[in-house]
Amino acid sequence: MPSPAERAATQAAYAASVNPAWLETLRQCGLDARPLEAEGAWLRLEDGRRWLDFVAGYGAAALGHRPQALLSGLAEDLFDPAPNLHPLGFSGLAGDLAAALLTLAGFADGKALFASTGAEAVEGALKLARMAGGRRRALSFDGGFHGLTLEATELAGGDFWRQGLPRREDCAVLPWGDLAAAAAELARGDVAAVLLEPVQGSAGARAWRGEDLAELAALCRRHGARLIYDEALSGLGRCGAWFAYQALGAPAPDLLIVAKGLSGGVLPVSALLFRQDIYQAVFARPGCAKIHGSTFGGNRLALSCGLRMLELLRQLDAPARARESGRALRRRWREAGLEGFELEGQGLMLALRAGPAAQDRLGEGAAGLLWLQLLQEGVLTVPAAHDAAALRLLPPLNVAEAELDFFLEACRRAIAALEQEATTS
């Protein structure tokens, strides 16, 4: 364990050269101690504290921290004599991983491109939709989050991310779930793409209805727009099916973003899946076979990581595991009678939301107070950026029953402490 002087020196170097404003925010919340060890769903900090991690790298550590089966395989891959980057060749690993993902998504004749981040895949999806349709405009919905590259920020469903940035005329954010507004925009005939999360992460696990997504898909077909599902977080089993739109009973989109869980929290890897007609309109033209890509997109180590992670998720039967664990946890929450807060979501993409009673007793910041109290009880969650009344919960998909017990007991103690403080103040 580092000495206080060593900790202070490390923090001083970060403040001097990286982001002192962020470090100060962490200090105010008591989060400025670095994790020294991570294993499964647990973090051990340099100041001796131990947390149950229900953020899990914003869902990227889908099998928890340092999954040994994944790391052992990647250790072997490091010494493979094949090049990691070969931009003028092709990769057999890419074919294997693409075929597996397309099968899970139900894209019978689709194609896949690989990148490093979800935001990079989002940008690629918007670019391909525009190139395929010859249109410029893109629509998204309030409460959504698609990364922090420039265009993804313009399509974010919250003004916080756009501070100081002008809204481009070819990007529009609509009220969440407002099909009439979407129909009116699509009827203009100039929309290339509609981008959405079937289950929104930053809005506190807010899910579309399957029938509404079916109607939106029909509107897109009628007006010649491409429908893009951003499943960077909700995909690969987290919502109780391989993809959230399947769990909701919605039709498949034209383009699909896969990220986070595909990496296992180890190496950056993302995928963009898209239909054959888009491939024909963009890549199959003479001289255009390499019209989109990136230097590190589809590198050997990243693809191997994705293949190994997908196999581990299959072995776990991740969709069933998430579905059953999430259902059991929500049932036990109701049975526990923890007043004022509701546990909502799909599978293990969850949110704790402060209801009217909790906000009456604890104030509008009830969710934030619960977040801080849970830190004291040894549980790490994250506030929902687009819903101040909610905390996001993203446990590993292989979370153990004993860890769910620990979470429930911590919540009991945290809510009791908040109630006691409200009564005596």
Side-chain angles (χ1 to χ4, degrees), residues 1 33-53 374-380 402-403 406 410 413:
M1 186 174 295
R34 292 178 304 152
L36 286 185
E37 182 182 3
E39 185 73 32
W42 295 90
L43 298 174
R44 184 173 65 85
L45 308 183
E46 61 184 349
D47 60 6
R49 287 179 293 170
R50 189 168 179 260
W51 281 333
L52 178 66
D53 183 4
L374 281 172
L375 290 175
Q376 301 302 312
E377 301 293 343
V379 175
L380 181 64
E403 291 161 346
F406 184 97
R413 293 192 300 269

Side-chain angles (χ1 to χ4, degrees), residues 195-221:
L195 171 66
L196 63 89
E197 297 167 281
V199 180
Q200 292 184 327
S202 292
R206 183 168 64 174
W208 283 77
R209 298 193 310 163
E211 53 266 40
D212 287 347
L213 288 178
E215 184 176 343
L216 182 59
L219 284 168
C220 287
R221 286 194 302 272

Side-chain angles (χ1 to χ4, degrees), residues 325-333 343 350 404 407-408:
S325 295
R327 189 177 295 154
L329 184 58
R330 290 192 296 274
R331 183 189 68 249
R332 292 175 63 189
W333 183 273
L343 183 61
L350 299 166
L404 297 179
F407 169 73
L408 285 168

Side-chain angles (χ1 to χ4, degrees), residues 22 31 47 136 208 219 309 381 421:
W22 176 239
L31 293 170
D47 60 6
R136 294 182 56 182
W208 283 77
L219 284 168
M309 189 64 186
T381 63
E421 184 175 343

Side-chain angles (χ1 to χ4, degrees), residues 14 99 112-113 122 190 194 204 218 248 308:
Y14 182 94
L113 276 174
V122 166
D190 60 354
V194 177
L248 299 173
R308 292 181 185 280

Side-chain angles (χ1 to χ4, degrees), residues 2-28:
S3 68
E6 290 170 331
R7 288 177 55 196
T10 299
Q11 291 187 4
Y14 182 94
S17 303
V18 185
N19 190 343
W22 176 239
L23 183 60
E24 180 57 31
T25 299
L26 294 176
R27 282 176 177 152
Q28 292 173 7

Side-chain angles (χ1 to χ4, degrees), residues 82-116:
N84 191 44
L85 300 176
H86 184 25
L88 297 180
F90 74 94
S91 167
L93 293 175
D96 293 342
L97 184 54
L101 291 171
L102 291 165
T103 297
L104 293 178
F107 279 44
D109 61 349
K111 299 290 186 288
L113 276 174
F114 294 100
S116 298

Side-chain angles (χ1 to χ4, degrees), residues 27-384:
R27 282 176 177 152
Q28 292 173 7
C29 300
L31 293 170
D32 55 327
R34 292 178 304 152
L36 286 185
E37 182 182 3
E39 185 73 32
W42 295 90
L43 298 174
R44 184 173 65 85
L45 308 183
E46 61 184 349
D47 60 6
R49 287 179 293 170
R50 189 168 179 260
W51 281 333
L52 178 66
D53 183 4
F54 269 24
V55 179
Y58 289 101
L63 296 178
H65 297 286
R66 296 199 301 130
Q68 293 305 303
L70 180 62
L71 294 178
S72 296
L74 291 176
E76 297 176 9
D77 295 333
L78 284 172
F79 295 96
D80 189 313
N84 191 44
L85 300 176
H86 184 25
L88 297 180
F90 74 94
S91 167
L93 293 175
D96 293 342
L97 184 54
L101 291 171
L102 291 165
T103 297
L104 293 178
F107 279 44
D109 61 349
K111 299 290 186 288
L113 276 174
F114 294 100
S116 298
T117 67
E120 188 181 359
V122 166
E123 295 279 332
L126 292 166
K127 177 179 173 181
L128 266 58
R130 288 181 168 119
M131 295 177 77
R135 299 174 176 180
R136 294 182 56 182
R137 294 186 69 228
L139 309 178
S140 63
F141 291 90
D142 181 62
F145 182 82
H146 308 286
L148 292 175
T149 54
L150 183 58
E151 185 158 26
T153 302
E154 289 166 344
L155 288 167
D159 289 337
F160 171 82
W161 311 107
R162 288 189 296 271
Q163 294 179 70
L165 298 178
R167 172 70 60 74
R168 293 197 317 181
E169 62 181 14
D170 53 357
C171 292
V173 179
L174 307 179
W176 180 78
D178 191 337
L179 294 179
E185 293 288 340
L186 287 163
R188 293 172 52 176
D190 60 354
V191 173
V194 177
L195 171 66
L196 63 89
E197 297 167 281
V199 180
Q200 292 184 327
S202 292
R206 183 168 64 174
W208 283 77
R209 298 193 310 163
E211 53 266 40
D212 287 347
L213 288 178
E215 184 176 343
L216 182 59
L219 284 168
C220 287
R221 286 194 302 272
R222 185 182 312 153
H223 295 291
R226 264 58 181 221
L227 180 59
I228 305 170
Y229 289 166
D230 181 350
E231 295 228 28
L233 174 57
S234 59
L236 297 181
R238 180 160 291 279
C239 288
W242 281 110
F243 293 99
Y245 73 86
Q246 296 165 338
L248 299 173
D254 298 297
L255 303 100
L256 179 64
I257 310 300
V258 186
K260 293 189 185 292
L262 191 59
S263 76
V266 177
L267 288 175
V269 57
S270 62
L272 167 58
L273 313 183
F274 51 98
R275 296 196 177 278
Q276 176 71 9
D277 67 295
I278 296 173
Y279 174 81
Q280 292 294 330
V282 178
F283 293 95
R285 296 171 295 151
C288 293
K290 191 88 169 173
I291 200 168
H292 183 74
S294 64
T295 300
F296 281 89
N299 73 81
R300 178 177 60 81
L301 287 172
L303 293 176
S304 180
C305 181
L307 278 166
R308 292 181 185 280
M309 189 64 186
L310 203 56
E311 180 57 29
L312 292 172
L313 291 171
R314 283 199 183 101
Q315 291 174 13
L316 179 68
D317 194 356
R321 182 74 173 265
R323 185 169 61 248
E324 293 162 6
S325 295
R327 189 177 295 154
L329 184 58
R330 290 192 296 274
R331 183 189 68 249
R332 292 175 63 189
W333 183 273
R334 292 192 299 271
E335 292 170 351
L338 297 173
E339 295 182 1
F341 293 87
E342 297 297 328
L343 183 61
E344 304 171 350
Q346 295 279 330
L348 286 175
M349 189 167 172
L350 299 166
L352 269 179
R353 185 165 276 105
Q359 294 189 53
D360 285 345
R361 291 195 302 271
L362 304 174
E364 292 183 358
L369 293 174
L370 180 59
W371 174 61
L372 291 171
Q373 192 63 44
L374 281 172
L375 290 175
Q376 301 302 312
E377 301 293 343
V379 175
L380 181 64
T381 63
V382 64

